[in-house]
């Protein structure tokens, strides 16, 4: 089905719509599992896309996100502000409020944000801000502006989520390591999985986490990073034939080395994929291949996201 975008917007040519009717995963998620990276898009007629956006998606509403959550067996979501909404967090806030406490948010704010606006975001469930360094997604923001924002959100107990490409890490290293909060790196810092796991590029990323205990990462988006595939498509892959075999060693290495600082998310509705749209049920079936024991699975899917996003509900938190 061709999914619409409403509000008079026109989808980016070649846009792939999110997959309708995901399969039931074989892997049973532990009780209380959190999908810690997903987005809402619009709907455009209610929450217009930002003028400065680099793409126009099909709509992906909160109701559709919550239906996916229930279908896959997740208890909660962390909704991350998508770049197509710029620093207008209304769709994100609306979804967090409507979730009845079952969703937290990561917002995008500018230096001009007021303390009252930050408080309102906190009341809605926002617990972090996202800094994006991927050039195809955003225009450049000066680092002193970002540092100022990080210093303002730190007293709220929030953290910073960063998205960048592996080749840019050397240049960003000093900035990331100067941040005063927990820092969560999206999608494993986008490694080039054709390069060796023990080579210098991924080695630098592992060193970043090893030397900085405040830095976490999401072991998400094999569908973006894979070169070999096979993609998670209906009728393909089973519990013993995981999709995205070339990404699994990288994710598993991070889960096993930093079991208390990893998160997992679907990345639904999967913006900007070019060659296929994954079946989210099959994406869930990748989890036991990257977190092979029940203890690692519980940390990845429950304990870690709860500590970061719902600390009040964690015993001793
Ligand atoms: O790689 C991407 O295109 C992408 C885009 C966005 C966004 O537009 O916010 O978020 C993601 O997590 C990944």
């Amino acid at each position: 089905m061709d999914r619409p975008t409403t509000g008079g917007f026109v989808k980016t040519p070649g846009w792939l719509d999110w997959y309708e009717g995901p399969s039931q995963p074989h892997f049973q998620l532990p009780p209380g599992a959190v999908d810690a990276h997903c987005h809402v898009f619009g709907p455009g007629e209610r929450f217009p896309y930002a003028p400065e956006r680099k793409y126009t998606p099909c709509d992906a509403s909160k109701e559709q996100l919550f239906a996916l959550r229930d279908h896959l067996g997740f208890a909660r979501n962390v909704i991350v502000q998508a770049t197509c909404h710029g620093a207008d967090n209304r769709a994100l806030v609306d979804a967090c409020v409507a979730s009845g406490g079952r969703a937290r948010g990561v917002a995008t704010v500018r230096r001009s944000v007021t303390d009252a606006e930050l408080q309102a975001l906190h009341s809605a469930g926002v617990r972090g801000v996202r800094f994006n360094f991927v050039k195809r997604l955003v225009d450049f923001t000066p680092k002193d502006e970002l540092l100022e924002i990080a210093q303002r959100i730190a007293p709220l107990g929030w953290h910073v989520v960063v998205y960048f490409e592996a080749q840019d890490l050397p240049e960003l290293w000093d900035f990331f390591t100067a941040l005063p909060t927990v820092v969560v790196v999206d999608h494993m810092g986008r490694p080039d999985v054709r390069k060796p796991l023990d080579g210098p590029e991924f080695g630098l990323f592992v060193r970043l986490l090893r030397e900085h205990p405040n830095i976490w990462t999401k072991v998400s988006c094999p569908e973006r990073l894979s070169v070999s595939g096979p993609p998670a498509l209906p009728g393909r892959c089973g519990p013993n034939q995981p999709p995205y075999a070339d990404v699994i060693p990288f994710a598993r290495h991070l889960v096993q080395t930093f079991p208390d600082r990893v998160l997992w998310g679907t990345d639904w509705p999967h913006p900007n994929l070019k060659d296929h749209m994954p079946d989210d049920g099959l994406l869930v079936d990748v989890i036991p291949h990257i977190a092979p024991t029940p203890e690692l699975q519980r940390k990845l899917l429950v304990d870690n996201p709860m500590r970061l996003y719902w600390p009040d509900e964690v015993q001793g938190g």
Side-chain angles (χ1 to χ4, degrees):
M1 174 186 164
D2 188 30
R3 301 216 62 90
T5 191
T6 55
F9 292 98
V10 177
K11 282 189 277 186
T12 297
W15 185 262
L16 292 184
D17 299 339
W18 48 274
Y19 178 64
E20 195 149 1
S23 60
Q24 196 67 50
H26 295 274
F27 174 61
Q28 198 179 350
L29 293 163
V34 182
D35 175 354
H37 186 98
C38 49
H39 310 283
V40 287
F41 295 154
E45 64 194 354
R46 196 160 163 222
F47 301 111
Y49 299 110
E52 72 272 25
R53 70 191 179 280
K54 306 289 183 202
Y55 63 87
T56 308
C58 67
D59 293 340
S61 70
K62 60 179 186 290
E63 291 86 0
Q64 290 161 333
L65 173 65
F66 298 156
L68 179 77
R69 173 196 69 195
D70 295 344
H71 172 80
L72 297 176
F74 285 98
R76 305 174 193 234
N77 296 112
V78 179
I79 307 174
V80 177
Q81 174 76 350
T83 57
C84 58
H85 279 295
D88 176 350
N89 296 290
R90 282 176 295 168
L92 171 81
V93 162
D94 174 68
C96 288
V97 170
S99 76
R102 294 176 70 186
R104 293 287 191 239
V106 174
T108 295
V109 301
R110 307 276 182 239
R111 168 186 253 161
S112 54
V113 69
T114 66
D115 287 338
E117 284 165 343
L118 289 176
Q119 277 303 338
L121 288 170
H122 190 88
S123 302
V126 170
R127 294 294 180 269
V129 290
R130 190 182 200 201
F131 297 164
N132 206 315
F133 301 91
V134 178
K135 296 175 188 79
R136 69 183 160 81
L137 294 173
V138 286
D139 296 325
F140 174 78
T141 306
K143 293 202 187 72
D144 62 337
E145 178 168 343
L146 297 176
L147 191 56
E148 189 182 307
I149 292 169
Q151 280 156 350
R152 297 232 349 252
I153 58 101
L156 295 166
W158 292 14
H159 60 275
V160 174
V161 171
V162 295
Y163 191 25
F164 61 93
E165 312 262 6
Q167 73 267 17
D168 296 326
L169 178 56
E171 190 265 316
L172 292 164
W173 180 281
D174 289 347
F175 173 70
F176 291 161
T177 57
L179 289 170
T181 61
V182 165
V183 178
V184 182
V185 177
D186 275 341
H187 317 326
M188 302 189 277
R190 292 195 62 107
D192 180 344
V193 298
R194 290 166 302 190
K195 296 183 180 167
L197 181 72
D198 54 3
E201 191 178 89
F202 194 63
L204 189 70
F205 183 60
V206 172
R207 200 183 118 205
L208 182 73
L209 269 77
R210 194 177 342 106
E211 293 181 0
H212 299 279
N214 64 318
I215 303 190
W216 298 35
T217 190
K218 294 176 195 161
V219 287
S220 44
C221 280
E223 71 285 1
R224 282 186 194 289
L225 302 170
S226 181
V227 179
S228 72
L233 295 173
R236 301 279 297 276
C237 318
N240 301 316
Q241 308 145 284
Y244 316 121
D246 52 348
V247 183
I248 286 173
F250 291 82
R252 190 169 50 219
H253 184 75
L254 293 170
V255 171
Q256 290 179 326
T257 312
F258 308 106
D260 299 312
R261 290 187 270 148
V262 283
L263 302 170
W264 189 90
T266 54
D267 194 35
W268 187 89
H270 309 287
N272 302 312
L273 291 185
K274 294 285 177 252
D275 62 352
H276 75 287
M277 181 52 57
D279 171 343
D280 294 278
L282 294 175
L283 276 185
V284 170
D285 281 334
V286 178
I287 294 173
H289 297 276
I290 64 173
T293 68
E295 189 192 356
L296 288 172
Q297 292 160 8
R298 201 197 61 239
K299 286 177 180 232
L300 175 67
L301 296 162
V302 186
D303 297 354
N304 299 343
M306 287 301 290
R307 224 165 61 244
L308 199 55
Y309 290 98
W310 285 271
D312 304 349
E313 295 184 37
V314 178
Q315 267 189 340

Short mmCIF file of all heavy atoms in Angstrom, two decimals, residues 234-285:
data_model
loop_
_atom_site.label_atom_id
_atom_site.label_comp_id
_atom_site.label_asym_id
_atom_site.label_seq_id
_atom_site.Cartn_x
_atom_site.Cartn_y
_atom_site.Cartn_z
N PRO A 234 9.58 -10.35 4.57
CA PRO A 234 8.66 -11.44 4.84
C PRO A 234 9.00 -12.67 4.01
O PRO A 234 9.37 -12.56 2.85
CB PRO A 234 7.31 -10.87 4.42
CG PRO A 234 7.50 -9.41 4.33
CD PRO A 234 8.94 -9.13 4.11
N GLY A 235 8.91 -13.84 4.65
CA GLY A 235 9.20 -15.07 3.93
C GLY A 235 10.68 -15.39 3.88
O GLY A 235 11.08 -16.43 3.40
N ARG A 236 11.50 -14.47 4.37
CA ARG A 236 12.95 -14.68 4.40
C ARG A 236 13.39 -14.83 5.84
O ARG A 236 12.76 -14.32 6.74
CB ARG A 236 13.67 -13.46 3.79
CG ARG A 236 13.29 -13.15 2.38
CD ARG A 236 14.04 -14.03 1.39
NE ARG A 236 15.48 -13.79 1.47
CZ ARG A 236 16.10 -12.80 0.82
NH1 ARG A 236 15.43 -12.00 0.05
NH2 ARG A 236 17.41 -12.64 0.94
N CYS A 237 14.45 -15.50 6.09
CA CYS A 237 15.07 -15.55 7.41
C CYS A 237 14.19 -16.30 8.40
O CYS A 237 12.99 -16.17 8.41
CB CYS A 237 15.35 -14.16 7.99
SG CYS A 237 15.99 -13.00 6.82
N GLY A 238 14.79 -17.06 9.24
CA GLY A 238 14.09 -17.73 10.33
C GLY A 238 14.90 -17.50 11.58
O GLY A 238 15.88 -16.77 11.54
N PRO A 239 14.50 -18.14 12.69
CA PRO A 239 15.21 -17.90 13.94
C PRO A 239 16.69 -18.26 13.85
O PRO A 239 17.52 -17.69 14.57
CB PRO A 239 14.49 -18.79 14.95
CG PRO A 239 13.46 -19.56 14.22
CD PRO A 239 13.34 -19.02 12.83
N ASN A 240 17.03 -19.20 12.98
CA ASN A 240 18.44 -19.59 12.89
C ASN A 240 19.16 -19.00 11.69
O ASN A 240 20.31 -19.30 11.42
CB ASN A 240 18.55 -21.12 12.86
CG ASN A 240 17.93 -21.70 14.11
OD1 ASN A 240 18.18 -21.19 15.21
ND2 ASN A 240 17.11 -22.72 13.97
N GLN A 241 18.45 -18.20 10.90
CA GLN A 241 19.09 -17.54 9.75
C GLN A 241 18.88 -16.04 9.89
O GLN A 241 18.01 -15.47 9.24
CB GLN A 241 18.45 -17.98 8.43
CG GLN A 241 18.36 -19.46 8.24
CD GLN A 241 17.07 -19.78 7.49
OE1 GLN A 241 15.99 -19.76 8.06
NE2 GLN A 241 17.18 -20.07 6.21
N PRO A 242 19.63 -15.41 10.79
CA PRO A 242 19.36 -14.00 11.04
C PRO A 242 19.66 -13.14 9.82
O PRO A 242 20.60 -13.43 9.09
CB PRO A 242 20.32 -13.66 12.18
CG PRO A 242 21.42 -14.66 12.07
CD PRO A 242 20.78 -15.91 11.54
N PRO A 243 18.86 -12.11 9.63
CA PRO A 243 19.22 -11.15 8.59
C PRO A 243 20.42 -10.32 9.04
O PRO A 243 20.76 -10.30 10.22
CB PRO A 243 17.96 -10.29 8.47
CG PRO A 243 17.25 -10.43 9.77
CD PRO A 243 17.63 -11.77 10.33
N TYR A 244 21.03 -9.65 8.08
CA TYR A 244 22.10 -8.69 8.36
C TYR A 244 23.28 -9.32 9.10
O TYR A 244 23.79 -8.78 10.09
CB TYR A 244 21.55 -7.49 9.15
CG TYR A 244 20.23 -6.98 8.61
CD1 TYR A 244 19.10 -6.94 9.39
CD2 TYR A 244 20.13 -6.56 7.28
CE1 TYR A 244 17.89 -6.49 8.88
CE2 TYR A 244 18.93 -6.11 6.76
CZ TYR A 244 17.82 -6.08 7.57
OH TYR A 244 16.64 -5.64 7.07
N ALA A 245 23.70 -10.48 8.60
CA ALA A 245 24.75 -11.25 9.28
C ALA A 245 26.03 -10.45 9.46
O ALA A 245 26.76 -10.65 10.43
CB ALA A 245 25.03 -12.52 8.48
N ASP A 246 26.31 -9.50 8.54
CA ASP A 246 27.59 -8.77 8.64
C ASP A 246 27.58 -7.73 9.76
O ASP A 246 28.64 -7.31 10.22
CB ASP A 246 27.95 -8.10 7.29
CG ASP A 246 26.83 -7.23 6.72
OD1 ASP A 246 25.68 -7.31 7.22
OD2 ASP A 246 27.10 -6.47 5.78
N VAL A 247 26.41 -7.33 10.24
CA VAL A 247 26.33 -6.32 11.30
C VAL A 247 26.37 -6.97 12.68
O VAL A 247 26.83 -6.38 13.66
CB VAL A 247 25.05 -5.46 11.16
CG1 VAL A 247 25.00 -4.36 12.21
CG2 VAL A 247 24.95 -4.86 9.77
N ILE A 248 25.92 -8.21 12.75
CA ILE A 248 25.74 -8.88 14.05
C ILE A 248 27.02 -8.91 14.90
O ILE A 248 26.96 -8.58 16.09
CB ILE A 248 25.12 -10.28 13.85
CG1 ILE A 248 23.63 -10.10 13.50
CG2 ILE A 248 25.29 -11.17 15.08
CD1 ILE A 248 22.91 -11.36 13.11
N PRO A 249 28.19 -9.24 14.33
CA PRO A 249 29.39 -9.26 15.19
C PRO A 249 29.70 -7.91 15.85
O PRO A 249 30.16 -7.87 16.99
CB PRO A 249 30.52 -9.66 14.23
CG PRO A 249 29.84 -10.29 13.07
CD PRO A 249 28.47 -9.68 12.97
N PHE A 250 29.43 -6.83 15.15
CA PHE A 250 29.70 -5.49 15.71
C PHE A 250 28.76 -5.23 16.89
O PHE A 250 29.18 -4.79 17.96
CB PHE A 250 29.51 -4.41 14.63
CG PHE A 250 30.56 -4.44 13.57
CD1 PHE A 250 30.47 -5.33 12.49
CD2 PHE A 250 31.65 -3.58 13.62
CE1 PHE A 250 31.45 -5.37 11.51
CE2 PHE A 250 32.63 -3.61 12.64
CZ PHE A 250 32.54 -4.51 11.58
N ALA A 251 27.49 -5.52 16.70
CA ALA A 251 26.51 -5.27 17.76
C ALA A 251 26.77 -6.20 18.95
O ALA A 251 26.74 -5.77 20.11
CB ALA A 251 25.10 -5.48 17.21
N ARG A 252 27.06 -7.46 18.66
CA ARG A 252 27.28 -8.41 19.75
C ARG A 252 28.52 -8.03 20.57
O ARG A 252 28.53 -8.12 21.79
CB ARG A 252 27.42 -9.83 19.20
CG ARG A 252 27.41 -10.89 20.30
CD ARG A 252 27.27 -12.29 19.75
NE ARG A 252 28.22 -12.52 18.70
CZ ARG A 252 27.99 -13.22 17.58
NH1 ARG A 252 26.82 -13.79 17.39
NH2 ARG A 252 28.91 -13.38 16.66
N HIS A 253 29.54 -7.56 19.87
CA HIS A 253 30.75 -7.14 20.57
C HIS A 253 30.43 -6.03 21.58
O HIS A 253 30.90 -6.04 22.72
CB HIS A 253 31.80 -6.67 19.57
CG HIS A 253 33.10 -6.31 20.19
ND1 HIS A 253 33.99 -7.26 20.65
CD2 HIS A 253 33.66 -5.10 20.47
CE1 HIS A 253 35.05 -6.65 21.17
NE2 HIS A 253 34.87 -5.35 21.09
N LEU A 254 29.63 -5.07 21.17
CA LEU A 254 29.28 -3.96 22.06
C LEU A 254 28.42 -4.44 23.22
O LEU A 254 28.61 -4.03 24.37
CB LEU A 254 28.56 -2.86 21.26
CG LEU A 254 29.43 -2.14 20.22
CD1 LEU A 254 28.58 -1.26 19.33
CD2 LEU A 254 30.52 -1.32 20.90
N VAL A 255 27.46 -5.32 22.94
CA VAL A 255 26.57 -5.82 24.00
C VAL A 255 27.38 -6.60 25.04
O VAL A 255 27.17 -6.45 26.25
CB VAL A 255 25.45 -6.70 23.40
CG1 VAL A 255 24.66 -7.40 24.50
CG2 VAL A 255 24.52 -5.86 22.53
N GLN A 256 28.32 -7.41 24.56
CA GLN A 256 29.08 -8.24 25.50
C GLN A 256 30.14 -7.44 26.26
O GLN A 256 30.46 -7.76 27.39
CB GLN A 256 29.72 -9.41 24.75
CG GLN A 256 28.65 -10.40 24.28
CD GLN A 256 29.18 -11.58 23.52
OE1 GLN A 256 30.16 -11.46 22.79
NE2 GLN A 256 28.51 -12.72 23.62
N THR A 257 30.66 -6.38 25.62
CA THR A 257 31.72 -5.60 26.27
C THR A 257 31.14 -4.53 27.21
O THR A 257 31.72 -4.22 28.25
CB THR A 257 32.60 -4.91 25.19
OG1 THR A 257 32.96 -5.88 24.21
CG2 THR A 257 33.87 -4.34 25.80
N PHE A 258 30.00 -3.96 26.84
CA PHE A 258 29.40 -2.89 27.64
C PHE A 258 27.93 -3.23 27.95
O PHE A 258 27.02 -2.50 27.55
CB PHE A 258 29.47 -1.55 26.87
CG PHE A 258 30.85 -1.22 26.37
CD1 PHE A 258 31.17 -1.33 25.03
CD2 PHE A 258 31.83 -0.79 27.27
CE1 PHE A 258 32.45 -1.02 24.57
CE2 PHE A 258 33.11 -0.49 26.82
CZ PHE A 258 33.43 -0.61 25.48
N PRO A 259 27.71 -4.34 28.68
CA PRO A 259 26.32 -4.81 28.82
C PRO A 259 25.40 -3.85 29.55
O PRO A 259 24.18 -3.91 29.34
CB PRO A 259 26.49 -6.12 29.62
CG PRO A 259 27.82 -6.02 30.27
CD PRO A 259 28.67 -5.19 29.37
N ASP A 260 25.98 -2.93 30.33
CA ASP A 260 25.13 -2.00 31.09
C ASP A 260 24.96 -0.65 30.41
O ASP A 260 24.38 0.27 30.98
CB ASP A 260 25.75 -1.78 32.49
CG ASP A 260 25.80 -3.09 33.26
OD1 ASP A 260 24.79 -3.80 33.29
OD2 ASP A 260 26.88 -3.41 33.80
N ARG A 261 25.47 -0.52 29.16
CA ARG A 261 25.38 0.78 28.49
C ARG A 261 24.90 0.64 27.05
O ARG A 261 25.30 1.41 26.17
CB ARG A 261 26.75 1.48 28.51
CG ARG A 261 27.15 1.94 29.89
CD ARG A 261 28.40 2.77 29.84
NE ARG A 261 29.60 1.97 29.99
CZ ARG A 261 30.77 2.24 29.43
NH1 ARG A 261 30.89 3.27 28.62
NH2 ARG A 261 31.82 1.48 29.64
N VAL A 262 24.08 -0.37 26.79
CA VAL A 262 23.56 -0.56 25.45
C VAL A 262 22.03 -0.51 25.47
O VAL A 262 21.39 -0.91 26.45
CB VAL A 262 24.02 -1.89 24.82
CG1 VAL A 262 25.46 -1.79 24.34
CG2 VAL A 262 23.86 -3.05 25.80
N LEU A 263 21.46 0.00 24.38
CA LEU A 263 20.01 0.09 24.20
C LEU A 263 19.69 -0.50 22.84
O LEU A 263 20.55 -0.58 21.95
CB LEU A 263 19.56 1.56 24.22
CG LEU A 263 19.87 2.39 25.48
CD1 LEU A 263 19.57 3.86 25.21
CD2 LEU A 263 19.07 1.88 26.68
N TRP A 264 18.41 -0.87 22.65
CA TRP A 264 17.98 -1.41 21.35
C TRP A 264 16.69 -0.71 20.91
O TRP A 264 15.83 -0.40 21.76
CB TRP A 264 17.71 -2.92 21.46
CG TRP A 264 17.49 -3.57 20.13
CD1 TRP A 264 18.46 -4.12 19.34
CD2 TRP A 264 16.25 -3.72 19.42
NE1 TRP A 264 17.89 -4.61 18.18
CE2 TRP A 264 16.54 -4.38 18.19
CE3 TRP A 264 14.92 -3.37 19.68
CZ2 TRP A 264 15.55 -4.69 17.25
CZ3 TRP A 264 13.94 -3.67 18.75
CH2 TRP A 264 14.27 -4.33 17.55
N GLY A 265 16.56 -0.47 19.61
CA GLY A 265 15.33 0.12 19.10
C GLY A 265 15.05 -0.35 17.69
O GLY A 265 15.96 -0.76 16.97
N THR A 266 13.78 -0.27 17.32
CA THR A 266 13.39 -0.68 15.96
C THR A 266 13.83 0.32 14.89
O THR A 266 14.03 -0.04 13.74
CB THR A 266 11.85 -0.79 15.84
OG1 THR A 266 11.29 0.47 16.27
CG2 THR A 266 11.30 -1.93 16.66
N ASP A 267 13.86 1.61 15.28
CA ASP A 267 14.01 2.73 14.33
C ASP A 267 12.78 2.90 13.44
O ASP A 267 12.85 3.58 12.41
CB ASP A 267 15.28 2.62 13.49
CG ASP A 267 15.59 3.93 12.77
OD1 ASP A 267 15.34 5.00 13.34
OD2 ASP A 267 16.06 3.89 11.61
N TRP A 268 11.66 2.27 13.81
CA TRP A 268 10.42 2.51 13.05
C TRP A 268 10.13 4.00 13.02
O TRP A 268 10.38 4.66 14.03
CB TRP A 268 9.26 1.78 13.75
CG TRP A 268 7.98 1.80 12.98
CD1 TRP A 268 7.56 0.90 12.06
CD2 TRP A 268 6.94 2.79 13.09
NE1 TRP A 268 6.32 1.27 11.57
CE2 TRP A 268 5.92 2.43 12.18
CE3 TRP A 268 6.75 3.96 13.85
CZ2 TRP A 268 4.75 3.18 12.02
CZ3 TRP A 268 5.61 4.71 13.69
CH2 TRP A 268 4.62 4.31 12.79
N PRO A 269 9.65 4.56 11.94
CA PRO A 269 9.27 4.00 10.64
C PRO A 269 10.39 4.02 9.60
O PRO A 269 10.10 4.08 8.42
CB PRO A 269 8.11 4.89 10.21
CG PRO A 269 8.32 6.19 10.94
CD PRO A 269 9.22 5.95 12.11
N HIS A 270 11.63 3.93 10.06
CA HIS A 270 12.78 3.65 9.18
C HIS A 270 12.97 4.69 8.07
O HIS A 270 12.92 4.37 6.88
CB HIS A 270 12.63 2.26 8.55
CG HIS A 270 12.36 1.18 9.53
ND1 HIS A 270 13.30 0.69 10.39
CD2 HIS A 270 11.22 0.48 9.81
CE1 HIS A 270 12.78 -0.26 11.15
NE2 HIS A 270 11.51 -0.40 10.83
N PRO A 271 13.23 5.96 8.45
CA PRO A 271 13.39 6.99 7.42
C PRO A 271 14.58 6.73 6.50
O PRO A 271 15.61 6.21 6.94
CB PRO A 271 13.62 8.27 8.24
CG PRO A 271 14.08 7.82 9.59
CD PRO A 271 13.40 6.50 9.82
N ASN A 272 14.39 7.10 5.25
CA ASN A 272 15.49 7.19 4.27
C ASN A 272 16.12 5.87 3.88
O ASN A 272 17.24 5.87 3.36
CB ASN A 272 16.61 8.13 4.78
CG ASN A 272 16.10 9.52 5.07
OD1 ASN A 272 15.41 10.09 4.24
ND2 ASN A 272 16.39 10.05 6.23
N LEU A 273 15.46 4.75 4.11
CA LEU A 273 16.02 3.51 3.58
C LEU A 273 15.85 3.53 2.07
O LEU A 273 14.88 4.06 1.55
CB LEU A 273 15.35 2.29 4.20
CG LEU A 273 15.67 2.07 5.69
CD1 LEU A 273 15.05 0.76 6.17
CD2 LEU A 273 17.17 2.06 5.95
N LYS A 274 16.82 2.94 1.38
CA LYS A 274 16.84 3.08 -0.08
C LYS A 274 16.46 1.79 -0.80
O LYS A 274 15.89 1.83 -1.89
CB LYS A 274 18.22 3.52 -0.55
CG LYS A 274 18.61 4.91 -0.10
CD LYS A 274 17.86 5.97 -0.90
CE LYS A 274 18.17 7.38 -0.42
NZ LYS A 274 17.09 8.03 0.30
N ASP A 275 16.82 0.62 -0.23
CA ASP A 275 16.62 -0.58 -1.05
C ASP A 275 15.55 -1.53 -0.53
O ASP A 275 15.03 -2.33 -1.29
CB ASP A 275 17.95 -1.33 -1.27
CG ASP A 275 18.56 -1.81 0.03
OD1 ASP A 275 18.05 -1.45 1.10
OD2 ASP A 275 19.56 -2.56 -0.05
N HIS A 276 15.22 -1.47 0.75
CA HIS A 276 14.12 -2.31 1.24
C HIS A 276 13.60 -1.75 2.54
O HIS A 276 14.27 -0.94 3.20
CB HIS A 276 14.60 -3.76 1.48
CG HIS A 276 15.43 -3.91 2.71
ND1 HIS A 276 16.72 -3.45 2.80
CD2 HIS A 276 15.15 -4.41 3.94
CE1 HIS A 276 17.20 -3.69 4.01
NE2 HIS A 276 16.26 -4.27 4.73
N MET A 277 12.40 -2.16 2.90
CA MET A 277 11.80 -1.77 4.18
C MET A 277 11.68 -3.04 5.01
O MET A 277 11.06 -4.00 4.59
CB MET A 277 10.43 -1.18 3.90
CG MET A 277 9.68 -0.70 5.11
SD MET A 277 10.57 0.44 6.20
CE MET A 277 11.03 1.78 5.12
N PRO A 278 12.33 -3.08 6.19
CA PRO A 278 12.32 -4.33 6.95
C PRO A 278 10.98 -4.63 7.59
O PRO A 278 10.21 -3.73 7.91
CB PRO A 278 13.38 -4.09 8.02
CG PRO A 278 13.42 -2.62 8.20
CD PRO A 278 13.10 -2.02 6.85
N ASP A 279 10.75 -5.90 7.80
CA ASP A 279 9.64 -6.40 8.62
C ASP A 279 10.11 -6.29 10.07
O ASP A 279 11.09 -6.94 10.47
CB ASP A 279 9.38 -7.86 8.21
CG ASP A 279 8.41 -8.58 9.12
OD1 ASP A 279 8.16 -8.10 10.24
OD2 ASP A 279 7.93 -9.65 8.71
N ASP A 280 9.44 -5.46 10.85
CA ASP A 280 9.91 -5.20 12.22
C ASP A 280 9.92 -6.45 13.09
O ASP A 280 10.69 -6.55 14.03
CB ASP A 280 9.04 -4.11 12.86
CG ASP A 280 9.22 -2.78 12.16
OD1 ASP A 280 10.20 -2.07 12.46
OD2 ASP A 280 8.41 -2.45 11.28
N GLY A 281 9.04 -7.41 12.77
CA GLY A 281 9.05 -8.68 13.52
C GLY A 281 10.37 -9.41 13.31
O GLY A 281 10.95 -9.97 14.25
N LEU A 282 10.87 -9.39 12.09
CA LEU A 282 12.15 -10.05 11.81
C LEU A 282 13.32 -9.28 12.40
O LEU A 282 14.33 -9.87 12.77
CB LEU A 282 12.32 -10.22 10.30
CG LEU A 282 11.33 -11.19 9.64
CD1 LEU A 282 11.52 -11.20 8.13
CD2 LEU A 282 11.50 -12.59 10.20
N LEU A 283 13.17 -7.96 12.53
CA LEU A 283 14.22 -7.19 13.20
C LEU A 283 14.34 -7.61 14.66
O LEU A 283 15.45 -7.73 15.20
CB LEU A 283 13.89 -5.69 13.16
CG LEU A 283 14.27 -4.88 11.93
CD1 LEU A 283 13.96 -3.41 12.18
CD2 LEU A 283 15.74 -5.05 11.59
N VAL A 284 13.19 -7.85 15.32
CA VAL A 284 13.21 -8.31 16.71
C VAL A 284 13.93 -9.67 16.80
O VAL A 284 14.63 -9.94 17.78
CB VAL A 284 11.77 -8.39 17.27
CG1 VAL A 284 11.74 -9.11 18.62
CG2 VAL A 284 11.17 -6.99 17.40
N ASP A 285 13.78 -10.47 15.77
CA ASP A 285 14.43 -11.79 15.79
C ASP A 285 15.96 -11.72 15.68
O ASP A 285 16.64 -12.72 15.84
CB ASP A 285 13.85 -12.68 14.70
CG ASP A 285 12.50 -13.25 15.12
OD1 ASP A 285 12.27 -13.37 16.34
OD2 ASP A 285 11.68 -13.55 14.24
#
